[in-house]
Amino acid sequence: MPNTHIETRKSRDKERVLSLTQDLVRIPSVYRPGVEGGNEEKAALYVAAHLKKLGIEVQVEEVEPGRPNIIGVVDSGKPGRTLLFEGHTDVVTEGDRDSWKYDPFGAEIVGGRMYGRGTNDTKGNLSCMITAVQSLLEDKEEWTGKIILCIPCDEEGMMIGIKHFIEQGWAEGVDGAIICEPEENQVCISQRGAMRIALTAYGKMAHGAISWSGINPNWRMAKIIVELEKLEKREQERLGKHPTLGWPSITPTILQAPAKGDAQVNVIPEQCMTTLDIRTVPGQDHEILKEEIQRIFDRLAEDDTDFKADYKVIEDRPWTSTEKEEPVVKAVAKAVRKVLKKEPIYNGVPGATDGTFLHVAGVPIITTGAGDREVPHQIDEYVDIDELAETTEIYRQAALNFLQS
């Protein structure tokens, strides 16, 4: 026989999470430097006001002008563990609006799905974590310890929000964190690391018809890229395919010559620049990879007296791995079993999240949430509304599992 009280609560929570998700998606929070209101402020302050209405203690901390972090604290008044939920307020650009079938900021529900930028990544999951805590409070559930709602800015950029959160001491004493991202409610216990590198080859500007009077940096860059591909293959052969994260990779993305100024077909540029998006897996050391790049430069310089190149690390985010026996992982896995009536699927996150820096700060992390893993950042981004309801219940049960033990 179905439990009427539980079904009523689930229906109530589903209605609330859909309403909150729609409200948040309808507040554009794309970071657009130089555009008035082109930041997370309106969405973040809406969340802050919503939390205050629920009786949750709220801190608003401005990271940069118009880019605040919101922190909600729910203290049981009893000693125990501290659980952190994390979900960001920023979303990526919608791109060309004419390419969308649905209004990117309309949060329209059609055929069991809600469409719009952030429905999947990750305003839907942000709404799930807030609604889950609201449900615990309203039902006066018994638990110990503390819940922190970490709602930072800039996850889609350089992650300045979570860095500021950690710098302000909020991660101290946190026993486990649930990173609320679209993972099809899989239990993701690992993440690929990320290094972004800007690499420059130097030459001497000259007329294309008198090439011997200059030094062409493009030839040097071509040799560097070939050597980087060899390095990628060596790393893949050494490590194999990771069971949850796939292959380590070194990907040249931007290739630009000249690095500054206008290009011209009959001019040898002074510099050639490329950017690398390097994704790493357990077993790789970022410092050793940097040394390998320098060794490539040194080898090429031995055969070419005109060779000159250097690199700059733009961002360095390590890979992460959390053991299945960690209490926060066990709490989520148990919740998934109860809510979905099946064994959890353990997986990894193909990129970095705000959880990367919480991991570095010593907090055990697990990533899970509603939404198809391949839909983030796409045209006509969507989330299944039934999955939002399931995720809300998973977060609710996971919190109880973690804070009642």
Side-chain angles (χ1 to χ4, degrees):
M1 292 290 290
N3 187 312
T4 304
H5 171 71
I6 293 176
E7 293 305 315
T8 300
R9 171 175 58 73
K10 288 182 179 179
S11 177
R12 174 200 71 190
D13 291 348
K14 179 178 180 179
E15 184 178 332
R16 286 174 174 172
V17 77
L18 292 179
S19 176
L20 181 56
T21 301
Q22 285 186 307
D23 288 348
L24 290 176
V25 170
R26 288 167 178 165
I27 305 173
S29 53
V30 180
Y31 179 50
R32 306 183 201 271
V35 176
E36 185 177 355
N39 51 42
E40 303 90 337
E41 187 169 44
K42 288 182 180 179
L45 294 181
Y46 183 93
V47 170
H50 184 79
L51 294 179
K52 288 177 182 177
K53 287 179 184 177
L54 302 180
I56 295 174
E57 177 189 338
V58 176
Q59 299 290 330
V60 179
E61 296 185 348
E62 192 165 66
V63 181
E64 288 185 352
R67 312 194 74 187
N69 284 346
I70 306 301
I71 300 104
V73 180
V74 184
D75 195 332
S76 70
K78 304 170 188 175
R81 292 172 174 162
T82 297
L83 175 65
L84 185 145
F85 284 100
E86 185 276 338
H88 56 91
T89 52
D90 62 316
V91 296
V92 297
T93 173
E94 72 279 20
D96 180 4
R97 289 200 180 203
D98 291 339
S99 296
W100 286 69
K101 179 178 180 180
Y102 302 99
D103 181 348
F105 301 108
E108 188 176 351
I109 296 176
V110 180
R113 290 176 171 175
M114 186 188 301
Y115 291 86
R117 183 58 85 222
T119 51
N120 178 292
D121 183 15
T122 197
K123 288 177 175 178
N125 290 305
L126 170 58
S127 300
C128 288
M129 77 186 210
I130 293 171
T131 304
V133 172
Q134 179 184 3
S135 183
L136 291 175
L137 293 174
E138 185 167 325
D139 293 347
K140 296 182 171 55
E141 294 282 4
E142 289 292 326
W143 50 279
T144 61
K146 185 187 299 182
I147 297 173
I148 297 177
L149 298 173
C150 169
I151 305 161
C153 63
D154 195 51
E155 191 271 352
E156 301 290 2
M158 298 301 286
M159 299 186 178
I160 61 172
I162 196 66
K163 292 173 183 176
H164 185 275
F165 177 88
I166 293 166
E167 288 166 2
Q168 298 305 305
W170 285 104
E172 295 172 10
V174 173
D175 298 291
I178 298 174
I179 311 304
C180 304
E181 293 281 353
E183 297 296 343
E184 300 169 22
N185 286 328
Q186 298 178 16
V187 181
C188 294
I189 55 176
S190 55
Q191 299 179 124
R192 285 208 293 175
M195 272 201 299
R196 277 66 180 270
I197 292 178
L199 194 154
T200 305
Y202 298 90
K204 179 184 176 184
M205 194 173 182
H207 197 300
I210 316 171
S211 59
W212 54 85
S213 67
I215 299 171
N216 197 329
N218 294 341
W219 293 125
R220 279 77 191 175
M221 183 61 77
K223 293 175 183 178
I224 292 169
I225 290 174
V226 168
E227 291 301 315
L228 288 169
E229 185 180 23
K230 293 177 183 177
L231 174 60
E232 179 190 64
K233 291 186 183 303
R234 289 198 301 272
E235 289 294 283
Q236 291 177 345
E237 290 171 0
R238 180 174 72 87
L239 294 159
K241 187 176 182 180
H242 190 274
T244 60
L245 297 176
W247 298 100
S249 60
I250 300 173
T251 306
T253 49
I254 301 168
L255 184 61
Q256 184 174 318
K260 297 178 181 178
D262 297 326
Q264 194 163 326
V265 70
N266 61 345
V267 177
I268 294 173
E270 184 181 19
Q271 299 175 1
C272 180
M273 182 276 293
T274 190
T275 53
L276 304 179
D277 185 357
I278 301 177
R279 301 293 175 148
T280 58
V281 300
Q284 288 183 290
D285 186 315
H286 286 199
E287 292 305 315
I288 291 177
L289 285 173
K290 295 172 193 175
E291 292 171 6
E292 289 285 353
I293 293 172
Q294 186 58 52
R295 276 195 279 271
I296 288 171
F297 292 171
D298 294 342
R299 287 198 304 271
L300 293 174
E302 288 175 3
D303 299 327
D304 180 356
T305 56
D306 290 328
F307 182 90
K308 183 182 178 184
D310 59 25
Y311 71 89
K312 178 181 179 182
V313 178
I314 303 168
E315 181 75 342
D316 191 343
R317 303 170 183 173
W319 51 264
T320 73
S321 182
T322 307
E323 296 295 327
K324 288 183 180 179
E325 293 307 306
E326 274 289 342
V328 70
V329 177
K330 292 171 72 174
V332 172
K334 183 179 178 181
V336 168
R337 288 189 192 97
K338 182 172 183 178
V339 176
L340 301 184
K341 310 298 183 189
K342 63 181 182 180
E343 283 299 304
I345 297 172
Y346 292 94
N347 209 334
V349 181
T353 70
D354 280 334
T356 300
F357 293 101
L358 290 169
H359 167 85
V360 172
V363 178
I365 64 168
I366 177 269
T367 307
T368 192
D372 186 313
R373 287 158 56 93
E374 297 188 5
V375 164
H377 304 188
Q378 291 188 11
I379 299 293
D380 289 322
E381 177 183 340
Y382 69 87
V383 68
D384 290 331
I385 59 176
D386 286 342
E387 197 172 351
L388 285 176
E390 289 173 344
T391 300
T392 302
E393 186 68 9
I394 288 170
Y395 289 166
R396 186 185 194 279
Q397 293 296 330
L400 289 175
N401 295 341
F402 191 74
L403 299 171
Q404 288 180 335
S405 57

